[in-house]
């Protein structure tokens, strides 16, 4: 089964604007996949639908074989989501933010504590575990978003513009971390409007423009043609 299978996906917002015009997309397990496109192309809308935050107009989406409508909780279990905006409680402590997320997935406390420590160490946030989130730098907040998304060990990690507004040095260390977890078996999909990010990191790239997928190929093939 595919890590992500999208067929005939359409989205028309309530103002009658059609942001997705019927897209098909398949991402294989283990892949590192980029959804590349300019601002306004439909990337966030696609991510929103995959993560059930945006209601689709038509089409089907499944995550590791679980339909997001009919097998909602199983699909959710497979998915880790890193949205663009920081959406944790700014007054909460770093470690609590990750542990509480584990609670939503019903992970037992001792396991949640162990997993939180492991993730905060890997993401170089362990020294900040007792710090309220609002005191963190932008890059640290971004890493906290990633730690939280991984707490339930999802098979698929989806990141919406993970390095937007992140400086070049930190961007490289984030790329390394993502490569590391991809090599350890996590399928990764990210959206980006930087070709460089897609080509450095991703094995396969789909290009979205005006709500249509206009290219879907492996990175080497795409670079030959550009
Ligand atoms: P839906 O059609 O899925 O119900 P809505 O049209 O109700 O979505 O919009 C949801 C939210 O997105 C609203 O708060 C709205 O103000 C905001 N929104 C509206 N237009 C845009 C836009 N062009 N880009 C981003 N957000 C928008
Ligand atoms: P991207 O992530 O590629 O920048 P989006 O998926 O955010 O693109 O937006 C795709 C298109 O849909 C844009 O033209 C945007 O203005 C529009 N849009 C996004 N959200 C809404 C909304 N809630 N209501 C109406 N239009 C929206």
């Amino acid at each position: 089964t595919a890590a992500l299978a999208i067929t005939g996906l359409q989205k028309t917002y309530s103002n009658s604007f059609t942001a997705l015009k019927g897209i098909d997309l398949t991402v294989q397990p283990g892949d590192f996949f980029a959804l590349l496109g300019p601002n306004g192309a439909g990337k966030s809308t696609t991510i929103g639908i995959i993560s059930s935050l945006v209601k689709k107009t038509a089409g089907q989406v499944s995550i590791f074989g679980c339909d997001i409508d009919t097998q909602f909780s199983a699909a959710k279990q497979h998915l880790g989501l890193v949205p663009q905006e920081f959406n944790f409680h700014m007054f909460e402590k770093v470690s609590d933010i990750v542990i509480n997320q584990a609670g939503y997935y019903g992970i037992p406390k001792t396991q949640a504590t162990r997993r939180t420590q492991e993730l905060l160490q890997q993401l170089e946030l362990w020294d900040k575990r007792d710090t309220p989130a609002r005191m963190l730098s932008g890059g640290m907040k971004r890493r906290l978003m990633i730690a939280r998304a991984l707490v339930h060990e999802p098979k698929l990690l989806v990141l919406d513009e993970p390095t937007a507004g992140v400086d070049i040095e930190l961007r490289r260390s984030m790329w390394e971390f993502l490569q590391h977890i991809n090599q350890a078996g996590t399928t990764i999909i990210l959206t980006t409007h930087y070709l460089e990010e897609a080509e450095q990191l991703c094995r396969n790239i789909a290009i979205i423009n005006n709500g249509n997928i206009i290219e879907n190929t492996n990175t080497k093939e795409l670079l030959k043609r550009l």
Side-chain angles (χ1 to χ4, degrees):
T1 44
L4 177 70
I6 292 178
T7 49
L9 185 62
Q10 293 178 32
K11 174 61 183 179
T12 300
Y13 282 105
S14 49
N15 65 356
S16 301
F17 180 80
T18 297
L20 295 177
K21 298 173 181 165
I23 67 169
D24 300 308
L25 204 57
T26 305
V27 177
Q28 295 304 334
D31 203 355
F32 201 141
F33 190 96
L35 185 60
L36 173 71
N39 284 325
K43 302 182 296 296
S44 294
T45 300
T46 306
I47 300 299
I49 293 168
I50 293 169
S51 51
S52 301
L53 299 170
V54 173
K55 215 173 148 246
K56 58 184 156 62
T57 306
Q60 261 107 43
V61 178
S62 63
I63 301 170
F64 282 95
C66 302
D67 186 281
I68 60 162
D69 297 327
T70 59
Q71 295 163 284
F72 173 76
S73 46
K76 269 234 114 93
Q77 200 69 37
H78 291 317
L79 176 71
L81 176 70
V82 183
Q84 256 184 77
E85 296 81 25
F86 303 132
N87 58 359
F88 39 69
H89 292 292
M90 287 294 170
F91 290 91
E92 228 175 330
K93 287 196 310 181
V94 165
S95 58
D96 287 347
I97 288 170
V98 181
I99 286 189
N100 290 343
Q101 182 80 359
Y104 296 130
Y105 291 97
I107 298 168
K109 194 71 189 238
T110 49
Q111 192 184 326
T113 305
R114 185 166 8 98
R115 179 78 181 143
T116 298
Q117 176 171 352
E118 182 183 287
L119 283 167
L120 293 181
Q121 283 171 341
Q122 282 177 7
L123 284 154
E124 289 167 54
L125 287 170
W126 184 240
D127 292 348
K128 303 286 178 187
R129 62 190 176 278
D130 294 325
T131 304
R134 71 191 158 84
M135 307 286 284
L136 301 180
S137 70
M140 289 173 182
K141 288 186 180 119
R142 181 67 58 196
R143 266 140 51 209
L144 176 57
M145 294 286 287
I146 296 175
R148 189 183 60 174
L150 289 172
V151 75
H152 60 299
E153 302 184 61
K155 294 203 267 186
L156 174 64
L157 180 68
V158 175
L159 307 101
D160 196 4
E161 300 267 358
T163 59
V166 171
D167 68 52
I168 186 73
E169 220 163 290
L170 183 66
R171 193 178 302 168
R172 298 219 171 267
S173 78
M174 268 183 57
W175 287 358
E176 278 168 27
F177 177 76
L178 294 176
Q179 278 166 331
H180 168 75
I181 60 165
N182 176 244
Q183 276 153 19
T186 306
T187 308
I188 299 181
I189 300 173
L190 58 79
T191 72
T192 185
H193 57 270
Y194 299 116
L195 174 63
E196 196 210 341
E197 181 158 73
E199 79 179 51
Q200 293 263 327
L201 276 178
C202 300
R203 217 164 290 136
N204 291 295
I205 300 179
I207 301 179
I208 185 169
N209 194 28
N210 278 322
N212 289 307
I213 301 285
I214 56 170
E215 277 283 358
N216 187 358
T217 181
N218 73 57
T219 307
K220 282 186 196 131
E221 282 301 315
L222 184 68
L223 291 177
K224 264 188 241 164
R225 263 184 274 147
L226 289 179

